[in-house]
Amino acid sequence: MKALVYDGPREVHVKDVPDARIENPTDVLVKITSTNICGSDLHMYEGRTDLEPGMVLGHENLGIVAEVGNAVVKVSPGDRVCLPFNIGCGFCRNCEEGLTAFCLTVHPDPKMAGAAFGFAGMGPFWGGQAEYLRVPFGDFNCLRLPEDAQDKETDYVMLSDIFPTGWHCTRLADMQPGDSMVVYGAGPVGLMAAYSAMIQGASKVMIVDRHPDRLRLAEEIGVVPIDDSKGDPVEQVLEQTNGKGADKGCECVGYQAHDPQGHEDAAMTMNRLVDSVRFTGHIGVVGIFLPQDQNGPDELERNGKIAFDMGKFWFKGQKIGTGQANVKHYNRQLRDLIHEDRAKPSWIISHELPLAEAESGYQHFDARDDGWTKVVLHP
Ligand code: NAD
Ligand code: ZN
């Protein structure tokens, strides 16, 4: 089959690889029809992880069930399904509690919790930027889609990651109706966090970035754009909130935070969030801070440990929630919002490309070229 393979830093190629196939009786084989490029793919693409060449990337996947293992009972060939980026077993303590991003059995290393498709450090599972994807524990992980699946395919594919991840960030921040919210990062994840806050009845949502195209998109759905190339973003948030700061905050950038001039400081957005959120406010963090042993050798000290101002955070009595999104915990409800036309996350898509053009999609998205907000690949 054809698949997008990681061959080394900024080297990804569409090539022939052995076909994905049923390996265990609980597996489902899915013929992929839509698969997105994610900001998380860029950590691997840029060579910031210890990913071995040869991995098929792609963790935001949707398709049609092609074949099922003998033990699969809930899905059948022909069903249209969306797959969470995390792979859960469904029966461990964490999966039972809805914490599927921290499944205790799927990752082959018993010290680890959590597994994912096409991801450095998250197990050996190939991704779905390919013609076919093997889905372990298919009964648990496949989300069946309703009869409008084909018409709304580019909405439903956002259920694999960024829509639930943005939503998760607002839940980590314990956002309540009427709260004001500030989101750092207007990439696909930050835009989905802002969108989720709007849907849940925030009184005011602000988003900080410096890319005019991304800020414009946010403004189109009623979010207040804050351009940090035009002045201190904290001051701008305080001006918007009577000097008090936002009730809640979302971190959707991660360790690659930098200023508009390109100077990297992995703690920048965390410290700015503490300053932008009011005393006793809550902060959700979904931007990735790679643990040290997953970074390339030059990055060891820089990315895992950050210069976070614990003193100010403590003094303000704030709370923080972190981690990968437990996609399965949210995607049924978010699917139903899409089905009932109460949410339409495809507004974020800038490009749809055939899988054969994936390399160019990676280049443009990695460069954050003007207008390249979210790329969907169709194998
Ligand atoms: P992205 O790289 O496209 O977007 C990041 C945005 O942050 C960019 O628009 C960039 O200009 C902006 N930015 C950089 N420095 C900034 C600063 N100092 N202040 C404000 N904005 C700044 O990526 P994305 O796809 O939106 O993903 C965002 C993060 O979320 C990544 O770290 C990604 O790995 C992570 N992620 C986490 C989960 C999860 O489950 N927790 C899931 C998906 C993605
Ligand atoms: Zn993703």
Side-chain angles (χ1 to χ4, degrees):
M1 66 173 184
K2 294 277 184 222
L4 189 280
V5 178
Y6 173 78
D7 283 327
R10 292 198 163 81
E11 291 289 337
V12 291
H13 302 288
V14 177
K15 50 167 97 161
D16 287 308
V17 300
D19 287 348
R21 56 181 183 82
I22 302 280
E23 293 176 21
N24 296 315
T26 48
D27 287 349
V28 166
L29 188 70
V30 176
K31 181 175 165 48
I32 297 297
T33 54
S34 290
T35 173
N36 307 332
I37 306 178
C38 177
S40 298
D41 290 322
L42 301 180
H43 306 313
M44 296 173 277
Y45 178 75
E46 293 173 5
R48 292 172 182 261
T49 71
D50 60 4
L51 185 67
E52 296 282 339
M55 174 63 104
V56 174
L57 298 182
H59 59 269
E60 303 193 0
N61 303 309
L62 178 150
I64 303 170
V65 173
E67 199 184 329
V68 300
N70 291 336
V72 171
V73 294
K74 288 203 227 155
V75 288
S76 318
D79 287 349
R80 287 177 188 267
V81 292
C82 184
L83 295 322
F85 76 86
N86 352 80
I87 308 172
C89 68
F91 51 76
C92 72
R93 177 190 172 157
N94 283 349
C95 282
E96 278 185 350
E97 291 180 3
L99 304 171
T100 51
F102 304 91
C103 171
L104 296 168
T105 75
V106 172
H107 198 292
D109 178 351
K111 294 192 296 299
M112 277 288 296
F117 295 106
F119 231 97
M122 301 297 281
F125 309 98
W126 274 8
Q129 288 167 9
E131 289 178 281
Y132 289 90
L133 176 71
R134 176 176 83 90
V135 182
F137 299 106
D139 272 337
F140 185 66
N141 290 306
C142 290
L143 174 72
R144 282 224 307 265
L145 299 172
E147 61 287 354
D148 56 2
Q150 218 171 340
D151 294 341
K152 294 182 178 169
E153 173 148 342
T154 52
D155 293 301
Y156 287 126
V157 70
M158 300 307 161
L159 295 171
S160 56
D161 181 349
I162 61 167
F163 191 18
T165 295
W167 195 279
H168 181 58
C169 202
T170 66
R171 301 320 317 141
L172 288 172
D174 191 31
M175 201 208 89
Q176 302 298 322
D179 278 349
S180 57
M181 165 65 81
V182 59
V183 178
Y184 273 78
V189 170
L191 288 170
M192 283 293 119
Y195 185 50
S196 300
M198 296 291 286
I199 293 173
Q200 290 171 80
S203 54
K204 177 182 244 180
V205 182
M206 297 150 276
I207 197 161
V208 182
D209 206 303
R210 70 291 307 249
H211 288 292
D213 56 325
R214 295 179 170 200
L215 291 172
R216 207 176 316 118
L217 263 183
E219 201 170 7
E220 279 170 16
I221 60 157
V223 171
V224 178
I226 293 191
D227 185 340
D228 69 352
S229 68
K230 304 225 166 98
D232 181 354
V234 173
E235 290 301 325
Q236 296 185 62
V237 173
L238 294 178
E239 267 167 39
Q240 290 283 340
T241 53
N242 298 321
K244 296 282 187 218
D247 294 313
K248 305 287 161 65
C250 284
E251 205 291 340
C252 300
V253 180
Y255 70 97
Q256 286 172 285
H258 48 86
D259 63 22
Q261 288 72 44
H263 171 252
E264 278 198 29
D265 168 4
M268 184 183 298
T269 49
M270 288 306 303
N271 288 327
R272 286 184 173 167
L273 269 164
V274 171
D275 287 337
S276 303
V277 170
R278 67 170 164 83
F279 280 73
T280 72
H282 295 207
I283 298 167
V285 184
V286 294
I288 286 185
F289 292 82
L290 288 174
Q292 290 185 23
D293 60 5
Q294 282 182 33
N295 301 319
D298 304 336
E299 307 276 330
L300 282 186
E301 285 305 309
R302 214 144 56 90
N303 299 333
K305 295 179 190 164
I306 65 167
F308 175 59
D309 189 339
M310 183 66 196
K312 194 178 277 178
F313 173 67
W314 182 90
F315 188 69
K316 291 187 83 170
Q318 294 171 336
K319 289 201 177 108
I320 199 166
T322 61
Q324 303 260 15
N326 307 299
V327 169
K328 194 183 155 75
H329 184 67
Y330 305 100
N331 65 3
R332 278 180 169 65
Q333 291 93 324
L334 300 186
R335 172 196 64 189
D336 294 349
L337 285 182
I338 293 171
H339 179 60
E340 298 296 342
D341 293 322
R342 301 274 295 162
K344 196 156 183 51
S346 60
W347 63 269
I348 199 168
I349 296 169
S350 58
H351 294 79
E352 291 184 58
L353 304 175
L355 180 66
E357 289 172 33
E359 282 176 48
S360 132
Y362 267 84
Q363 281 160 12
H364 287 292
F365 184 54
D366 183 51
R368 276 84 179 174
D369 280 340
D370 196 35
W372 286 77
T373 334
K374 187 74 180 172
V375 182
V376 184
L377 304 171
H378 299 295

